[in-house]
């Protein structure tokens, strides 16, 4: 049930696991694709979308790792890293951090959710969203960096049993996780100073975007935003609740997480007309591939209950690439800027 939290980072994995239980349908490989420039912004938003750049921006000065180091893993293990010449990050978010630290030339493989340009040519070591221990070990890694949600557990343990250091990083849940996750990865790579620099840069950029968020409360209630996870090819339609991972982003954009506010305490719940009526969203946040999978904005509005919401009536849809929406990493400022632009439009009106 928690496998999604990063993936996107892991959050997308959790949704797929939940969808199997609620629909009996298998996951689709498209679920992890981060392609798609966010087409399908709702007409009611009247916003020019700020697409998230498909490249990461490394630090200006490339750091030199000072190893060996021993660090505490999020799973309680103490991990000693002797070398970091061949690194395998097992989520798109973790890959972004390594590349943005300036150490992308040491990465020898990627997880299917690492969709940014610099990582595109690397071999994939996951099948769907499951790690292939054999694929990882065949690349002779010095260090594997995983999320606490990375699975299957047996594969991770097989890698560790082969003598490869495995650092487990706590899965991202919100904006407050950006700095600590960067610090954890940088520490294991022997570049703690670069980690502090990148964390500060990321947090300052997020703060700058937040300063420009319109004060919707001065014009009335803050916009209610529902996060929907959609995979039309698998008939999976879910609404995010308090534990979906999207609430922090929605709140930073000046909105209210409509699912959480309506009493949905879990990460995701099957989408129903009743749930939508209770959530009463003014806008709907989706991943771009999910939006494509249901036929774009008009297809989304055609789902039961959507057309009866304020968001459906106004065609107010906010779409962000799958591979970056819930990463909570070095590009989160761009994600937040995209959400704000689409949510309020160029004129800064809440609608």
């Amino acid at each position: 049930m928690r496998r999604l939290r990063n993936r996107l980072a892991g959050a997308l994995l959790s949704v797929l696991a939940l969808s199997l239980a609620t629909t009996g349908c298998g996951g689709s490989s498209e679920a992890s694709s981060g392609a798609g420039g966010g087409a399908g912004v709702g007409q009611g938003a009247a916003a020019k979308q700020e697409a998230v750049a498909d490249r990461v921006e490394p630090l200006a000065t490339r750091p030199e790792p000072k190893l060996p180091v021993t660090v505490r893993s999020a799973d309680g293990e103490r991990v000693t890293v002797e070398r970091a010449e061949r690194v395998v990050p097992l989520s798109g978010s973790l890959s972004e951090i390594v590349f943005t630290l300036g150490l992308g030339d040491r990465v020898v493989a990627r997880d299917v959710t690492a969709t940014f340009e610099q990582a595109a040519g690397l071999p994939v070591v996951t099948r769907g969203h499951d790690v292939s221990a054999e694929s990882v070990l065949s690349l002779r890694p010095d260090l594997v960096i995983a999320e606490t949600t990375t699975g299957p557990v047996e594969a991770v343990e097989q890698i560790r049993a082969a003598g490869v250091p495995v650092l487990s990083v706590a899965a991202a849940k919100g904006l407050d996780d950006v700095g600590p996750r960067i610090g954890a990865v940088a520490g294991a790579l022997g570049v703690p100073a670069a980690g502090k620099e990148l964390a500060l840069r990321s947090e300052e950029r997020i703060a700058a975007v937040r300063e420009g968020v319109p004060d919707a409360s001065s014009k009335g209630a803050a916009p209610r935003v529902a996060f929907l996870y959609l995979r039309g090819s698998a008939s999976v339609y879910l609404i995010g609740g308090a534990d979906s991972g999207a609430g922090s982003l929605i709140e930073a954009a000046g909105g209210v997480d409509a699912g959480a506010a309506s009493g949905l305490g879990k990460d995701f719940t099957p989408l129903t007309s009743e749930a939508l009526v209770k959530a009463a969203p003014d806008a709907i946040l989706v991943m771009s591939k999910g939006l494509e999978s249901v036929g774009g904005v008009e297809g989304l509005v055609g789902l039961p209950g959507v057309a009866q919401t304020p968001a459906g009536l106004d065609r107010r849809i906010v779409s962000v690439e799958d591979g970056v929406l819930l990463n909570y990493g070095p590009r989160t400022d761009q994600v937040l800027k995209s959400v704000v632009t689409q949510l309020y439009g160029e004129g800064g009106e809440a609608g």
Side-chain angles (χ1 to χ4, degrees), residues 189-201:
L189 291 171
V191 292
K196 291 180 181 178
E197 179 184 350
L198 178 57
L200 179 61
R201 187 186 85 175

Side-chain angles (χ1 to χ4, degrees), residues 6-10 50-57 92-97 100 116 147 171-182 198-211 213 245-253 285 318-342:
N6 3 143
R7 164 194 44 82
L8 238 224
E50 294 283 349
V52 178
D54 195 36
R55 294 179 57 84
V56 299
E57 179 190 347
S93 177
L94 296 174
S95 293
E96 283 190 20
I97 293 173
T100 311
F116 55 95
E147 306 271 357
K173 296 181 180 180
L175 292 171
D176 290 343
D177 295 322
V178 172
R181 283 167 59 83
I182 291 172
L198 178 57
L200 179 61
R201 187 186 85 175
S202 302
E203 290 165 352
E204 286 180 341
R205 289 180 175 182
I206 291 171
V209 177
R210 297 184 75 163
E211 288 179 2
V213 174
S248 178
L249 187 66
I250 292 170
E251 291 166 8
L285 172 65
V318 178
S319 171
V320 179
E321 293 92 331
D322 300 42
V324 71
L325 176 60
L326 299 181
N327 273 3
Y328 292 116
R331 290 193 290 171
T332 293
D333 64 297
Q334 297 176 48
V335 174
L336 180 58
K337 184 178 181 182
S338 179
V339 171
V340 170
T341 300
Q342 296 177 71

Side-chain angles (χ1 to χ4, degrees), residues 29-54:
S29 60
E30 72 170 338
S32 59
S33 173
V41 178
Q43 299 170 2
K48 176 182 178 182
Q49 181 169 2
E50 294 283 349
V52 178
D54 195 36

